[in-house]
Amino acid sequence: MGKSLSDGYDSWGNGLKYSRLLYCTFSEFVKHYPGTRKNTYKSQRSYYQKLIREGKKQMPPSPEQMPEKKLVKSWEVAMRGQDGEWDTTTLHSYEHPDPDGLSEQFAPATPAKITPSKRKPAQRDHRVLFVFSDAQIDYRRMDDGELVPIHDERAMTVARMICKDVMPDEIINLGDTVDLAALSRFKPDSNHFQRTLGPAFQRVHNFYAELIADSPWAKVTEIDSNHNTRLKDFFLKNTPDLYGFRRPGDTDEFPMFTYPYMANLGHLGVQWISGYGAAEYIYGAEYDKPPIIFKHGKTVVSGGSTAAKESKDNPYNNVVRGHSHRADSYYRTTRHGDYLGSFVVGALCRTTGEVPSYHSAVDDNGEVVKYQEDWQQAVMVIRDYKGTYDFQHILIRNGQAWFNGKLYDGRDIIEPRGQTK
């Protein structure tokens, strides 16, 4: 749910900002947060007031009653003035006391309370699979304490709406659900990814809970991917004694410092297929026809079709994968007359520079530089007529998607920094 608050973490991640939203007039508010649009202020204020009226969120203390910031460190910076002399300025770094914004730790997600839908599974002559990939869930912690998602809440909302409507028999996640930018081996683009793992894992867990609540009968599967291996690589490099560690008496299926444990997938009943590079989910093997190989994928063809390469590498199967953040399709016909499809499913992350990549950058003011990646947001619906498959890409454009003549709009949510309706 785009606007939903998950265990205290809202899209802003800053209690003082939340307090000012509800107590300050627009003219007062914009002094603290320049560039805020009046319509954005009004819609966010109205939304939180509704949550408070419904008892879903408490009214915060007034800005004057919020605790003072705690001084973390001070340092001196020398600069040459216009007179040619060197001036020394003392700078300070403060820790914001807001528990909503800063209490997250490197810890397992809190189990979601799932209230299953009362709808019954659809009665039809075929099965339906709902497929998504590359949500890259994570947050940038900006200098003012705001948590800005690099995943796209609007696209995730659209995905949930479509999934709910198609009433799938299976939900298949092709991986890279969490970004884990803080553990990347690549040079960081900023200091944004500090203490963001807690809310990221919580959002992963809650997104699954939302999908499962809508379709409680559906089998849910996730396939291992390259971003998940950042956890393994981190512990093997820095604290190998913790790799594979299990608490005494722990009955969880997975070791503690693994993605499925930290996202608490066991609580949700998600089938986890590990072993990135070789991990695959084979669907339709019971039919006397070519099955579908679901995987995350490793290769990306620059200037060509990744789907076409996958088809050549898998000449006897259908292939559905993620990884490249680009919606891609390729069909061919075998000598036996079978139609085989190879597909790359688009992403659910933001595509305008927020996700750390080769093209992304952060300016000297700590703001993400807008850069439109050659990525597409999309999900896929597959209809299975006993081994004869109908594959359908559904593109998401600026928080909206058209499917079966219906508009799915995910823009009516709290708008993260730099993302508007």
Side-chain angles (χ1 to χ4, degrees):
M1 288 169 22
K3 270 187 176 179
S4 66
L5 306 177
S6 50
D7 286 60
Y9 302 115
D10 56 28
S11 297
W12 293 16
N14 188 320
L16 183 57
K17 187 173 186 179
Y18 167 55
S19 175
R20 285 171 174 158
L21 173 71
L22 293 169
Y23 284 94
C24 295
T25 64
F26 176 70
S27 59
E28 294 170 336
F29 186 82
V30 79
K31 291 179 183 178
H32 297 284
Y33 308 103
T36 302
R37 298 182 180 182
K38 191 167 186 178
N39 286 342
T40 300
Y41 162 84
K42 291 172 65 177
S43 65
Q44 291 166 344
R45 181 184 173 96
S46 175
Y47 170 68
Y48 276 119
Q49 287 174 335
K50 179 175 179 291
L51 286 182
I52 293 169
R53 288 195 303 270
E54 294 173 349
K56 296 179 180 179
K57 190 167 178 65
Q58 294 182 346
M59 188 71 178
S62 67
E64 294 75 17
Q65 295 174 319
M66 295 293 285
E68 293 296 327
K69 294 181 179 180
K70 177 183 176 182
L71 179 65
V72 176
K73 62 181 178 179
S74 300
W75 66 97
E76 292 186 343
V77 177
M79 300 180 63
R80 190 185 296 275
Q82 293 183 350
D83 57 2
E85 298 296 324
W86 286 92
D87 298 321
T88 300
T89 303
T90 301
L91 301 179
H92 306 283
S93 175
Y94 294 93
E95 177 182 283
H96 200 285
D98 171 36
D100 281 354
L102 299 183
S103 63
E104 59 273 17
Q105 300 294 329
F106 194 83
T110 302
K113 180 180 179 181
I114 302 174
T115 303
S117 168
K118 295 182 180 180
R119 297 187 306 166
K120 302 296 183 182
Q123 300 297 316
R124 52 199 172 205
D125 63 352
H126 62 281
R127 303 185 82 242
V128 173
L129 315 180
F130 179 80
V131 187
F132 67 94
S133 188
D134 294 275
Q136 310 283 146
I137 293 175
D138 211 336
Y139 297 85
R140 289 180 179 269
R141 184 181 295 282
M142 311 307 285
D143 290 343
D144 60 2
E146 181 179 355
L147 283 178
V148 177
I150 67 173
H151 53 280
D152 194 327
E153 288 285 356
R154 304 174 309 170
M156 290 170 63
T157 299
V158 169
R160 182 187 176 188
M161 291 174 176
I162 295 173
C163 185
K164 183 176 181 179
D165 272 7
V166 301
M167 303 180 71
D169 299 283
E170 295 199 28
I171 298 171
I172 301 169
N173 179 359
L174 302 176
D176 275 3
T177 315
V178 67
D179 190 86
L180 296 177
L183 307 183
S184 173
R185 61 184 173 86
F186 297 107
K187 182 180 178 181
D189 64 9
S190 63
N191 64 346
H192 292 167
F193 298 102
Q194 299 181 31
R195 290 173 291 112
T196 60
L197 294 174
F201 277 108
Q202 190 67 60
R203 187 66 187 100
V204 172
H205 184 83
N206 288 356
F207 184 53
Y208 266 128
E210 292 163 359
L211 295 174
I212 292 168
D214 292 338
S215 304
W217 58 80
K219 176 184 177 181
V220 184
T221 303
E222 180 174 352
I223 304 156
D224 205 353
S225 51
N226 56 297
H227 278 261
N228 290 333
T229 62
R230 288 179 173 180
L231 271 173
K232 175 182 178 180
D233 295 342
F234 175 83
F235 283 104
L236 284 176
K237 178 181 178 180
N238 298 288
T239 54
D241 288 347
L242 290 178
Y243 176 71
F245 179 79
R246 296 176 184 268
R247 293 182 300 180
D250 195 345
T251 58
D252 197 281
E253 181 181 356
F254 307 103
M256 286 184 63
F257 299 105
T258 59
Y259 163 75
Y261 183 95
M262 297 181 69
N264 207 354
L265 298 188
H267 172 73
L268 302 166
V270 175
Q271 175 182 252
W272 167 247
I273 301 176
S274 62
Y276 171 62
E280 296 178 342
Y281 174 46
I282 301 176
Y283 176 89
E286 68 274 18
Y287 305 127
D288 188 23
K289 296 180 180 180
I292 306 175
I293 307 299
F294 291 99
K295 61 181 182 177
H296 182 68
K298 296 183 70 174
T299 59
V300 175
V301 177
S302 178
S305 172
T306 301
K309 184 180 188 308
E310 281 289 355
S311 181
K312 293 176 182 177
D313 293 343
N314 298 271
Y316 306 111
N317 304 303
N318 299 283
V319 179
V320 179
R321 51 156 284 185
H323 187 56
S324 75
H325 298 190
R326 295 173 183 170
D328 190 2
S329 303
Y330 181 83
Y331 289 92
R332 66 187 185 85
T333 306
T334 70
R335 290 182 179 270
H336 298 290
D338 293 316
Y339 289 3
L340 294 182
S342 178
F343 307 93
V344 181
V345 178
L348 292 181
C349 61
R350 295 172 72 175
T351 66
T352 49
E354 291 79 9
V355 177
S357 73
Y358 178 81
H359 298 290
S360 67
V362 175
D363 65 23
D364 290 341
N365 292 319
E367 295 290 336
V368 174
V369 178
K370 292 300 175 186
Y371 179 88
Q372 180 60 62
E373 301 273 8
D374 182 15
W375 300 345
Q376 295 87 48
Q377 294 177 332
V379 295
M380 175 172 276
V381 171
I382 304 172
R383 291 179 172 83
D384 167 24
Y385 299 91
K386 296 183 179 179
T388 299
Y389 304 111
D390 174 36
F391 301 89
Q392 188 169 3
H393 273 298
I394 306 167
L395 295 177
I396 303 171
R397 300 176 177 89
N398 193 31
Q400 293 181 314
W402 285 96
F403 177 58
N404 286 348
K406 178 179 178 179
L407 174 64
Y408 294 85
D409 193 338
R411 299 178 303 169
D412 186 23
I413 63 170
I414 296 296
E415 300 160 12
R417 185 182 303 205
Q419 190 174 47
T420 58
K421 293 182 181 180

